[in-house]
């Protein structure tokens, strides 16, 4: 009787152990779903998105690549109509919809629009999702610029340009709520970066700084 009871307990513990990976995957499922939604919304290959991006690139063409990014950001910011999503509902408008129907939405939509436009211009761009636990705190865009484009600003504007470095350049913050290009990072301690093709990865923002 005692052996049978121990056997049942052992089987139960084994089932619990085997279920742990499944439970872990379920807890991380929101990240996969969110990355897919963002990838669908950032439709930078759309004809009208590419056309508008080409227009912006021509209108604000500059030898100084960071200055060009600033001018395009300012242009979009000035034309942007801020509209909140209904409370408790998060909707990601497609970049093509915003280009066709007017530049409007919340800060998440601004991130999707500006990242899509820069990507359509040929500049690497990504979406950053700042969160704490399983709660999303903020979503914003970043554009990658080569080190040569950022070097002139390293000494002259140390407090106004914020970026994350890798070996060849930096990701510059394009947050609608940070007061302009290169503003301070907002949100939680953890960040999920989403490529516009749906790939995603997690980092600690403190580690990346």
């Amino acid at each position: 009787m005692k052996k049978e009871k121990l056997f049942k307990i052992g089987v139960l513990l084994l089932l619990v152990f085997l279920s742990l990976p499944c439970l872990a995957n379920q807890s991380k499922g929101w990240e996969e779903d969110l990355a897919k939604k963002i990838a669908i919304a950032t439709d930078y290959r759309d004809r009208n998105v590419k056309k508008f991006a080409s227009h912006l690139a021509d209108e604000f063409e500059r030898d100084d690549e960071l200055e060009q990014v600033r001018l395009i950001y300012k242009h979009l910011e000035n034309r942007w109509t801020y509209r909140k999503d209904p409370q408790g509902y998060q909707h990601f408008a497609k970049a093509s919809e915003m280009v066709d129907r007017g530049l409007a939405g919340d800060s998440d939509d601004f991130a999707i629009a500006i990242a899509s436009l820069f990507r359509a211009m040929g500049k690497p761009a990504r979406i950053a999702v700042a969160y704490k636990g399983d709660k999303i705190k903020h979503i914003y865009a970043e554009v990658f610029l080569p080190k040569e484009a950022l070097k002139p600003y390293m000494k002259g504007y140390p407090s106004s340009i914020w970026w994350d470095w890798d070996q060849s350049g930096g990701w510059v913050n394009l947050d609608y709520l940070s007061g302009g290009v290169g503003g301070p990072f907002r949100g939680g301690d953890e960040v999920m970066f989403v490529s516009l093709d749906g790939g995603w990865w997690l980092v600690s923002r403190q580690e990346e700084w």
Side-chain angles (χ1 to χ4, degrees):
M1 189 72 178
K2 188 179 289 186
K3 287 183 179 180
E4 184 179 347
K5 190 174 182 179
L6 289 173
F7 176 76
K8 288 181 178 179
I9 293 173
V11 171
L12 181 61
L13 290 173
L14 179 61
L15 290 173
V16 170
F17 176 77
L18 291 174
S19 70
L20 287 177
C22 297
L23 293 173
N25 289 336
Q26 288 174 4
S27 68
K28 294 295 183 181
W30 67 270
E31 294 150 334
E32 186 76 34
D33 292 341
L34 182 62
K36 288 178 181 177
K37 289 177 182 177
I38 289 173
I40 290 171
T42 50
D43 54 348
Y44 64 92
R45 295 185 180 91
D46 176 83
R47 183 179 63 179
N48 289 339
V49 172
K50 291 169 72 174
K51 183 178 179 181
F52 185 43
S54 178
H55 166 74
L56 291 173
D58 290 342
E59 183 176 353
F60 298 104
E61 184 177 4
R62 296 291 188 281
D63 292 332
D64 186 330
E65 200 169 353
L66 182 56
E67 182 62 18
Q68 183 192 41
V69 168
R70 280 175 159 167
L71 290 172
I72 291 172
Y73 175 98
K74 195 66 180 175
H75 178 76
L76 295 174
E77 182 187 38
N78 289 339
R79 294 183 59 186
W80 193 262
T81 301
Y82 189 85
R83 293 176 187 160
K84 283 187 176 181
D85 286 336
Q87 190 170 2
Y89 176 72
Q90 189 169 48
H91 170 69
F92 297 127
K94 287 185 177 182
S96 56
E97 294 173 1
M98 290 181 273
V99 168
D100 293 342
R101 302 176 189 174
L103 298 172
D106 61 10
S107 57
D108 301 351
D109 297 318
F110 183 84
I112 286 168
I114 198 168
S116 300
L117 289 166
F118 277 125
R119 181 64 183 275
M121 293 177 204
K123 299 182 187 297
R126 66 186 184 186
I127 299 294
V129 181
Y131 67 96
K132 191 170 185 178
D134 60 353
K135 187 174 182 180
I136 296 172
K137 294 292 187 179
H138 193 44
I139 297 176
Y140 54 95
E142 293 181 339
V143 64
F144 182 86
L145 295 180
K147 195 175 291 185
E148 293 72 24
L150 298 173
K151 273 184 179 179
Y153 295 89
M154 291 179 66
K155 293 183 179 179
Y157 303 91
S159 62
S160 62
I161 302 296
W162 295 51
W163 53 72
D164 302 325
W165 287 103
D166 76 356
Q167 294 180 352
S168 58
W171 291 94
V172 181
N173 185 11
L174 302 174
D175 190 350
Y176 181 78
L177 301 179
S178 290
V181 172
F185 296 112
R186 300 165 60 93
D189 297 331
E190 304 297 323
V191 180
M192 177 175 76
F193 289 116
V194 182
S195 76
L196 304 199
D197 296 310
W200 60 275
W201 60 102
L202 306 176
V203 300
S204 167
R205 175 59 81 187
Q206 293 176 345
E207 288 177 5
E208 192 166 22
W209 283 355

